[in-house]
Amino acid sequence: MTPIEQNTARLAVLIDADNAQPTLIAPLLLEVTKYGTAHVKRAYGDWTGPHLRGWKGQLLAQSIQPVQQFAYTTGKNATDASLIIDAMDLLYTARFDGFCIVSSDSDFTRLASRIRESGLTVYGFGERKTPQSFVAACDKFIYTENLTYDTPATSNQPPTPRPRPADPADALKKNAVLTALLRDTIEAASGDDGWAHLATVGHLLTKRRPDFDSRTHGYAKLTDLIDATTLFDIDRRIPADGKPAVVYVRDRRHPNSPQPQH
């Protein structure tokens, strides 16, 4: 799917308000715009209780429709059931290209799988404590910790991203899981010359690990993360027709890669 197709995708954003923080909704919805347009935005919970009081401002500011679900029985999560029923109703309308499910609850694993079985894309949003079963059931999973912003000093200033923590190359190299994932994926996407289109690499990384995100390692973009490891060559090629530069990457262990001078 091209960026243009992604941005025109019709999405339904369904939020488990019992399981999400209202302060994250603004950056979360901004993240959603990378994948499409939110044609439906609903938040589920028992709005008569005091624990959801902090949501009121966000519901108004972000034009999110609150869906009331009374907690009929103690210990039973009626909110989950209400969200799942609505998701299936929306699925059957055939008006959407994908769903964004905002929760850290594994109860939505089967829902994500069912939506994908119908050929739609599922984006999950939750905390790092989210069970792997739900993460793996999504096409793409975004940890909400990667979306946090600092509060601006004054109300007329936009929120600014938190400073990236220092993550030197040697620390990245010691992350065996990360380096193996990058190397294997770049190898899978490369041609005989070892060069791989960065966009293809990013696509394959998400296929292999729905929760892969360069921001988890302190870098805003995949290019920055790959460059910081110092394990790969990066080539920015300018097309003849004046289009934006196309980025290619290659493992420095490849025979065609220039070897360091000793």
Side-chain angles (χ1 to χ4, degrees):
M1 184 180 290
T2 67
I4 293 178
E5 289 172 332
Q6 286 181 339
N7 289 334
T8 58
R10 298 171 62 95
L11 302 177
V13 180
L14 308 181
I15 304 166
D16 176 7
D18 291 331
N19 206 263
Q21 297 298 319
T23 54
L24 291 175
I25 295 306
L28 187 149
L29 291 176
L30 182 61
E31 181 78 8
V32 168
T33 62
K34 295 181 180 180
Y35 311 110
T37 302
H39 286 260
V40 167
K41 291 180 287 185
R42 298 178 185 175
Y44 299 78
D46 185 357
W47 303 102
T48 62
H51 66 292
L52 296 182
R53 191 172 298 155
W55 275 89
K56 182 177 180 180
Q58 290 298 326
L59 295 176
L60 295 173
Q62 305 298 337
S63 188
I64 299 171
Q65 176 187 353
V67 179
Q68 171 62 29
Q69 181 57 56
F70 292 101
Y72 295 111
T73 305
T74 302
K76 299 292 184 181
N77 198 337
T79 297
D80 290 4
S82 179
L83 190 155
I84 291 170
I85 291 171
D86 266 15
M88 296 308 296
D89 286 344
L90 292 171
L91 175 64
Y92 292 142
T93 66
R95 294 189 293 112
F96 298 92
D97 302 300
F99 283 72
C100 300
I101 302 174
V102 184
S103 180
S104 304
D105 195 334
S106 63
D107 288 350
F108 297 109
T109 300
R110 182 65 185 110
L111 173 63
S113 298
R114 178 63 183 83
I115 294 173
R116 291 182 69 188
E117 288 170 4
S118 295
L120 277 66
T121 303
V122 178
Y123 302 98
F125 293 82
E127 298 176 3
R128 289 200 176 97
K129 67 179 183 181
T130 304
Q132 187 60 31
S133 59
F134 181 34
V135 173
C138 300
D139 291 281
K140 173 73 175 175
F141 195 90
I142 298 95
Y143 291 121
T144 53
E145 288 89 345
N146 289 332
L147 304 178
T148 55
Y149 286 79
D150 285 331
T151 303
T154 60
S155 59
N156 61 353
Q157 291 179 341
T160 55
R162 292 179 178 174
R164 175 173 61 82
D167 204 356
D170 57 346
L172 291 173
K173 290 177 182 177
K174 291 176 182 177
N175 188 334
V177 174
L178 173 64
T179 55
L181 178 64
L182 291 175
R183 278 178 160 155
D184 290 347
T185 305
I186 289 173
E187 171 63 24
S190 66
D192 293 338
D193 59 359
W195 288 108
H197 192 302
L198 183 67
T200 303
V201 172
H203 179 70
L204 288 179
L205 283 170
T206 301
K207 287 282 188 181
R208 294 182 172 193
R209 288 279 304 274
D211 61 342
F212 179 84
D213 193 330
S214 59
R215 292 171 295 188
T216 300
H217 305 281
Y219 292 86
K221 297 183 179 299
L222 179 58
T223 314
D224 299 333
L225 173 62
I226 290 177
D227 189 29
T229 67
T230 70
L231 298 173
F232 305 95
D233 296 320
I234 296 180
D235 185 17
R236 292 174 173 83
R237 305 175 186 178
I238 307 298
D241 53 8
K243 293 182 179 179
V246 180
V247 180
Y248 285 81
V249 294
R250 180 174 64 184
D251 194 327
R252 286 187 174 170
R253 300 179 303 177
H254 192 276
N256 292 343
S257 179
Q259 300 302 309
Q261 300 296 320
H262 298 288

